[in-house]
Amino acid sequence: MKKNRRDILFIVILIVLIVSLFLVRKCIYNSEEQNVEITQDGVILYVLSINENQTITLDNEFGYNVIQIKDGKVYMETSDCNGQDCIRQGRIDREGASVICLPHKLMISVRGGNNAHIDSMAK
Amino acid sequence: MKKKAFTTKRIAYIALFTAFAMILSYVESLIPIYFGAPGIKLGLANFFLLLLVRYKRNLDAVIVNVLRIALGGFLFGNLYSILFSLAGGMFSLGIMILFEKFRFHVLCVSIAGAVSHNIAQVFVAYLVMESFGIWYYLPVLLLAGVITGLAIGVLNKSLKPHLDLFFR
């Protein structure tokens, strides 16, 4: 039927459009730098690139922590705190996400580039 | 179509649909769904507009749309949210009427409405904020539009037979 064909055409065009837009988006925005910010007791200790694999070891009066940055994701590898909640919070890579170790007053968060304040506006 | 006059019945269902659409879009806005972009919602208000469009009551659909956005905006939102909603809502309604006119399938009409709504909103957001960063959300919003449009379309398809009696 002719009517049916038009519907299928519309759906196909839409799917192609969406897929291509996702690809374009990946190309354009991949270059955007995301940083990992490590804060303890309100003091910023490190600001690191999320794309560089490295291990940060913190051993101070708050306790012992090992933070891993690997393959564009950050996570808490070791912590000698009681709850171990920080390890269970898993790997983060999205802007605004964070891993928090409350007993050690330690916070790891991902900070984005220039479009950090759009979320609050585009409702 | 010679039903130009505002009969009591017509006024009644315009008021009813406006109230439904308004309160549903408010309730929806209270439910946060994070799906890659902010502000994604089901668009239940669109259900009533789609219904009116399918019964060829285009003028009524426009009236309901403007009323719900203006009233809902003043009650629950601000001038910005009215601006955003109006751009999205009117564009989407226009597209739906056009698709209905060219005899597309219900699901296609619904999806077209949802997707065009999101496109218009991103465009307005871009004009207001003058930031290219906003286009980052477009693909996700389009995908969300397809899914929510599908949901509303299915709902519409299955509920319409029960409402045919009322709109005869």
Side-chain angles (χ1 to χ4, degrees):
Chain A
M1 224 170 107
K2 201 184 169 192
K3 193 180 159 188
N4 203 357
R5 203 186 300 158
R6 186 163 23 188
D7 294 328
I8 292 169
L9 190 70
F10 168 69
I11 297 293
V12 168
I13 288 174
L14 201 62
I15 289 169
V16 169
L17 184 75
I18 289 171
V19 170
S20 55
L21 275 173
F22 264 110
L23 291 177
V24 167
R25 177 175 102 153
K26 210 172 178 190
C27 293
I28 293 176
Y29 288 93
N30 232 10
S31 54
E32 194 173 303
E33 191 74 352
Q34 279 190 325
N35 292 322
V36 177
E37 200 178 277
I38 300 172
T39 317
Q40 193 154 39
D41 201 17
V43 183
I44 298 173
L45 300 179
Y46 297 98
V47 178
L48 306 159
S49 168
I50 201 166
N51 296 317
E52 273 175 55
N53 291 355
Q54 50 188 316
T55 312
I56 311 293
T57 309
L58 294 174
D59 195 1
N60 51 27
E61 72 267 29
F62 295 105
Y64 178 75
N65 292 81
V66 178
I67 300 153
Q68 277 269 22
I69 303 177
K70 200 176 167 190
D71 304 330
K73 287 173 191 263
V74 200
Y75 60 100
M76 186 80 79
E77 195 176 65
T78 322
S79 175
D80 64 349
C81 59
N82 291 327
Q84 299 286 304
D85 278 328
C86 42
I87 290 162
R88 253 174 265 128
Q89 281 167 34
R91 296 162 184 236
I92 55 167
D93 57 353
R94 217 179 58 217
E95 186 185 321
S98 56
V99 168
I100 296 164
C101 184
L102 214 51
H104 294 174
K105 297 182 179 176
L106 185 66
M107 189 166 103
I108 310 162
S109 48
V110 181
R111 306 258 168 223
N114 41 17
N115 56 354
H117 302 291
I118 284 169
D119 281 20
S120 54
M121 286 281 288
K123 278 192 173 157
Chain B
M1 273 232 325
K2 52 183 177 178
K3 276 190 178 175
K4 280 262 165 78
F6 278 89
T7 58
T8 315
K9 182 177 157 187
R10 193 175 169 195
I11 292 167
Y13 75 69
I14 288 176
L16 194 65
F17 279 17
T18 306
F20 270 139
M22 207 172 88
I23 206 67
L24 281 177
S25 58
Y26 174 62
V27 169
E28 266 180 356
S29 70
L30 296 180
I31 305 167
I33 312 168
Y34 198 91
F35 179 67
I40 287 179
K41 51 182 190 166
L42 197 48
L44 280 168
N46 210 30
F47 171 79
F48 298 100
L49 298 177
L50 184 57
L51 204 63
L52 288 173
V53 167
R54 288 188 70 201
Y55 284 115
K56 308 270 184 272
R57 317 259 164 140
N58 293 345
L59 182 62
D60 296 357
V62 172
I63 293 170
V64 168
N65 204 14
V66 170
L67 278 179
R68 94 170 163 89
I69 289 165
L71 292 173
F74 281 121
L75 278 175
F76 310 118
N78 50 41
L79 205 59
Y80 264 117
S81 69
I82 293 177
L83 196 74
F84 274 84
S85 307
L86 209 59
M90 292 322 271
F91 184 62
S92 139
L93 188 57
I95 292 287
M96 282 205 294
I97 290 171
L98 212 65
F99 267 63
E100 181 65 31
K101 207 162 208 163
F102 285 106
R103 299 174 169 283
F104 275 96
H105 192 264
V106 206
L107 297 180
C108 284
V109 177
S110 179
I111 290 171
V115 168
S116 57
H117 184 270
N118 290 347
I119 293 174
Q121 290 216 317
V122 170
F123 187 66
V124 172
Y126 169 66
L127 289 183
V128 170
M129 303 186 34
E130 295 176 346
S131 154
F132 267 108
I134 200 81
W135 294 106
Y136 178 80
Y137 291 125
L138 188 63
V140 184
L141 284 171
L142 289 191
L143 190 64
V146 171
I147 294 165
T148 60
L150 206 61
I152 296 296
V154 169
L155 201 63
N156 211 289
K157 195 173 175 351
S158 53
L159 286 181
K160 186 173 175 279
H162 304 284
L163 293 163
D164 279 345
L165 206 67
F166 180 72
F167 277 101
R168 213 157 33 192

